[in-house]
Amino acid sequence: MAKRQSTRNGIATDSETKSVRTRARILDAAAHVLSVKGFAGTRLTDVAEYAEVQAPAIYYYFSSREELIEEVMFAGIGEMRRYLKDVIDGLPHDMSALDKILAAVEAHLRHELELSDYTTASIRNSGQIPEHLQTRQRKEEAAYGRLWRKLFEQALAEGLIDPELDIKTAQLLVMGGLNWAAEWFDPRRFSIDDVVRNAQILVRNGLLSHSSKR
């Protein structure tokens, strides 16, 4: 698999030290391996090979395999939250809240499936990581969920969402469906554009109030 460009904030630049660049390269490699092989299958030897460093060198930057994976998981959700916030902040102020939800659907899917190994790794391994490694990740997930909740509440206030829906449950179902795409998406079989379009249709039709459908 070709390397995807990292969108993680703070990625090293040419002006930074070799140590900082090496640490960033190890994190990028760990994100890729974790996104492909999962928590149980991620080995430091594979990370070292992908990062083009000697395996013992990883311990200079991270005390353990668990610390390295925890950093990847935290970074994945954190960068997705920042990406979605930037997308939402860039939308027209007069756009309906439902259309903003559909824009969020696209942002989530593209970041998850196309832009970031970190986000793919975080989503695919969320249920596999030991509880003691999830503290920072859970806080980021909660902050990410609040971005979605605000959009759902706005859409409900605008009369665009079926009032019979419990928006908390609806939000979790939408986000769960989007996250599951990381398990089955294969760019050799599916177009990301088609996945986004189908997801938006499903979400729109599933949320719309009866009055909005007429």
Side-chain angles (χ1 to χ4, degrees):
M1 176 183 293
K3 293 184 181 180
R4 285 189 279 178
Q5 181 178 354
S6 171
T7 58
R8 178 174 43 81
N9 282 5
I11 191 168
T13 65
D14 290 341
S15 64
E16 293 177 310
T17 67
K18 178 180 178 182
S19 177
V20 171
R21 293 196 300 271
T22 301
R23 185 181 188 278
R25 196 164 72 246
I26 291 170
L27 274 171
D28 289 347
H32 172 75
V33 174
L34 188 62
S35 71
V36 174
K37 297 191 174 183
F39 176 75
T42 294
R43 304 180 185 282
L44 291 185
T45 51
D46 295 329
V47 174
E49 180 180 358
Y50 199 78
E52 300 178 345
V53 299
Q54 297 296 315
I58 294 177
Y59 289 104
Y60 176 80
Y61 302 95
F62 301 95
S63 63
S64 66
R65 170 181 175 271
E66 286 193 341
E67 181 185 347
L68 174 59
I69 290 176
E70 191 271 344
E71 181 67 23
V72 170
M73 296 291 291
F74 169 70
I77 298 301
E79 73 169 31
M80 176 172 257
R81 177 183 59 79
R82 290 186 291 270
Y83 180 77
L84 179 62
K85 185 177 185 303
D86 287 344
V87 168
I88 294 172
D89 289 347
L91 296 174
H93 293 299
D94 59 351
M95 178 181 285
S96 75
L98 184 58
D99 284 337
K100 289 181 179 179
I101 289 174
L102 299 184
V105 167
E106 177 171 9
H108 184 107
L109 286 172
R110 291 196 183 279
H111 204 270
E112 170 190 7
L113 304 177
E114 189 175 47
L115 298 179
S116 174
D117 280 333
Y118 286 82
T119 299
T120 306
S122 293
I123 290 173
R124 294 192 69 186
N125 293 279
S126 182
Q128 302 178 32
I129 304 299
E131 189 67 31
H132 68 280
L133 298 180
Q134 297 184 24
T135 302
R136 291 197 301 161
Q137 174 195 345
R138 294 303 186 203
K139 289 181 179 179
E140 280 294 332
E141 288 176 348
Y144 184 66
R146 286 194 292 272
L147 293 176
W148 281 88
R149 177 62 54 79
K150 184 177 180 180
L151 296 179
F152 272 69
E153 289 175 345
Q154 289 174 346
L156 183 63
E158 292 175 12
L160 299 174
I161 288 184
D162 189 335
E164 293 185 10
L165 287 173
D166 175 76
I167 59 171
K168 180 179 179 180
T169 303
Q171 174 193 336
L172 291 174
L173 286 169
V174 168
M175 294 178 67
L178 298 178
N179 286 342
W180 186 248
E183 298 295 335
W184 55 260
F185 179 74
D186 182 342
R188 296 168 298 183
R189 298 176 56 206
F190 301 98
S191 159
I192 183 70
D193 292 336
D194 285 344
V195 172
V196 168
R197 181 177 60 82
N198 277 274
Q200 288 177 326
I201 292 172
L202 286 171
V203 170
R204 182 179 186 277
N205 291 340
L207 296 179
L208 269 180
S209 65
H210 296 301
S211 60
S212 297
K213 290 178 181 179
R214 289 198 294 267

